[in-house]
Amino acid sequence: FGELDVPTMKKYIQYCKAKCSPRLSEEAGEILASSYVKIRDDVRRRAMETSAANGGQNEGSGSDQAVIPITVRQLEALIRLSESLSKMRLEDEVQGQDIAEALRLFRVSTMAANATDKGGVSGGSANSSALGSKNGQSSLMRGAMPSKEELLRTESFLRSRLAIGTIVNKQRIVEEAASQGYDATIVTRAIAIMVSRSELTERNQGRLFKRIR
């Protein structure tokens, strides 16, 4: 399809709002909650390690960075965002890719903003404050991003699970991996990497994929 003009886009959005009401399944909700908790714990652990590496000199700032606002309202916002992303495709149920995108947006908005705020209120000159903000942000993002080892382990799981020629439902494999302790967002990213390497090919608008080699 080509690009939509503004009037057509408005009509499409109105139609989505009126006709589509996707909801999280119990399994998808568990994936979202577990992924959210993992991000929070990873960031907190990184902040504590940074504070320990500094010999406790920046204990106050390290403690501030460790406290990422985790509230029921934020989790509800993630659910609504996942549902909205699914609604744009007129889905009846939230897919794994919607959860992955909602979590990605959380990483680059809420957590980055938190790092900037902490850097802005810290003491010192303007240059040191800016540097603290920048370093704090990169530290938070490193905590939220998967490591190379995590990606390789996830890719290994996918290869062991999928025989060559197998066609599977994307959401189902993400849920299965999550039930075995793999992070849903890392599974989704690993699938995308394998698609880019032509190990997998997507079908049915990304709902299914087939292992090629």
Side-chain angles (χ1 to χ4, degrees):
F1 297 100
E3 294 184 2
L4 297 178
D5 55 46
V6 174
T8 303
M9 178 63 74
K10 288 182 178 179
K11 290 180 181 178
Y12 180 75
I13 293 173
Q14 291 172 354
Y15 180 85
C16 290
K17 289 181 177 180
K19 301 294 184 180
C20 189
S21 300
R23 290 291 180 267
L24 251 68
S25 65
E26 183 176 349
E27 293 80 7
E30 291 175 356
I31 292 173
L32 178 58
S34 63
S35 299
Y36 184 82
V37 170
K38 184 179 186 301
I39 292 172
R40 177 197 63 188
D41 292 345
D42 285 350
V43 172
R44 182 171 294 159
R45 176 176 54 81
R46 294 272 183 171
M48 292 177 67
E49 289 174 353
T50 300
S51 177
N54 291 333
Q57 295 178 2
N58 296 327
E59 185 176 356
S61 61
S63 176
D64 287 341
Q65 286 187 355
V67 182
I68 305 298
I70 303 296
T71 66
V72 174
R73 180 172 296 180
Q74 279 187 311
L75 189 54
E76 289 174 346
L78 273 173
I79 293 172
R80 289 194 298 272
L81 180 55
S82 299
E83 292 173 348
S84 297
L85 291 166
S86 181
K87 183 179 292 188
M88 289 193 299
R89 299 193 315 278
L90 301 178
E91 297 280 0
D92 294 327
E93 193 170 272
V94 173
Q95 305 293 318
Q97 66 193 58
D98 303 314
I99 294 174
E101 178 64 7
L103 288 165
R104 186 191 71 81
L105 291 171
F106 168 77
R107 289 191 185 102
V108 301
S109 58
T110 305
M111 299 171 70
N114 180 80
T116 301
D117 289 344
K118 294 298 181 291
V121 298
S122 61
S125 66
N127 290 336
S128 65
S129 295
L131 180 62
S133 175
K134 185 175 181 180
N135 289 341
Q137 180 172 340
S138 63
S139 175
L140 288 172
M141 294 305 294
R142 284 196 301 271
M145 297 296 288
S147 66
K148 181 178 180 180
E149 289 73 18
E150 287 175 315
L151 282 171
L152 291 175
R153 188 172 70 91
T154 304
E155 289 181 25
S156 178
F157 163 78
L158 291 170
R159 293 190 188 96
S160 66
R161 172 64 178 78
L162 306 172
I164 293 177
T166 302
I167 299 176
V168 296
N169 180 281
K170 184 176 182 179
Q171 183 177 11
R172 187 170 300 171
I173 199 69
V174 170
E175 292 174 353
E176 179 182 332
S179 70
Q180 297 187 31
Y182 293 88
D183 186 278
T185 58
I186 299 178
V187 175
T188 301
R189 177 169 298 187
I191 290 172
I193 292 172
M194 294 174 73
V195 168
S196 70
R197 291 200 298 248
S198 299
E199 292 186 55
L200 305 174
T201 181
E202 293 183 321
R203 296 188 172 189
N204 195 17
Q205 297 180 338
R207 296 184 182 90
L208 306 175
F209 60 85
K210 177 181 180 180
R211 183 173 178 191
I212 303 300
R213 62 182 178 85

